[in-house]
Amino acid sequence: MEEIKVTFPGEKRVDAEYKGFLIKTDQSVYAGGEGTAPAPFDLFLGSIATCVGYYVLAFCQNRGIPLDKASVWMHMHKSEGKKMIDRISIEMQLPPEFPDKYTKAIIKSVDSCAVKAHMVDAPAFEYVVKIDGAD
């Protein structure tokens, strides 16, 4: 079982320790924080975009396609009713050397992003409350 330790360094900041990394978060000034780090939801969105970016990187590197003119743009579309993201569009801007014959293959590759896969086939959540010092 893997685990992440979460601590509370003050104000609206929440930190997570995972695999030797310290992941810092804060809320925006608008939400009562100091804006010193990304908010947790920003990291969630960033994890989707960077996961897709990794698959573009690996796909192109495996085929010797240069990435100096490549980028990935992720566009989030919110529903008006729930004010939640109801659609994510991924735009891959690829270099002129990118062969047309690989268009469907790169889409298939990025569609296997592990972050997206966990959203589509979401894990179950369970919650346990332990009171420090209580039996």
Side-chain angles (χ1 to χ4, degrees):
M1 171 176 67
E2 292 187 61
E3 61 184 15
I4 297 174
K5 180 182 179 185
V6 175
T7 56
F8 310 99
E11 301 298 326
K12 301 283 184 179
R13 295 185 311 272
V14 178
D15 292 350
E17 296 174 43
Y18 183 58
K19 293 186 175 181
F21 293 101
L22 179 63
I23 304 165
K24 296 182 176 198
T25 72
D26 194 0
Q27 293 297 309
S28 67
V29 173
Y30 173 79
E34 298 172 331
T36 62
F41 192 71
D42 298 332
L43 292 177
F44 167 70
L45 294 175
S47 71
I48 299 168
T50 56
C51 185
V52 168
Y54 170 74
Y55 280 82
V56 169
L57 172 81
F59 186 94
C60 290
Q61 283 182 338
N62 288 339
R63 289 159 183 81
I65 300 168
L67 288 160
D68 56 332
K69 296 177 185 171
S71 60
V72 174
W73 292 84
M74 187 171 95
H75 307 280
M76 293 75 63
H77 306 271
K78 289 187 177 182
S79 67
E80 291 186 28
K82 291 193 230 177
K83 295 189 179 183
M84 291 181 64
I85 296 170
D86 65 354
R87 183 169 50 93
I88 293 175
S89 301
I90 304 292
E91 177 184 325
M92 294 169 274
Q93 295 182 349
L94 301 170
E97 303 89 332
F98 190 85
D100 286 339
K101 68 180 182 177
Y102 288 148
T103 301
K104 288 182 182 178
I106 197 166
I107 291 171
K108 184 177 179 180
S109 176
V110 300
D111 195 44
S112 63
C113 159
V115 176
K116 177 196 170 261
H118 279 79
M119 290 172 51
V120 172
D121 189 10
F125 284 77
E126 60 181 46
Y127 303 94
V128 176
V129 176
K130 293 184 178 183
I131 308 298
D132 193 27
D135 291 334

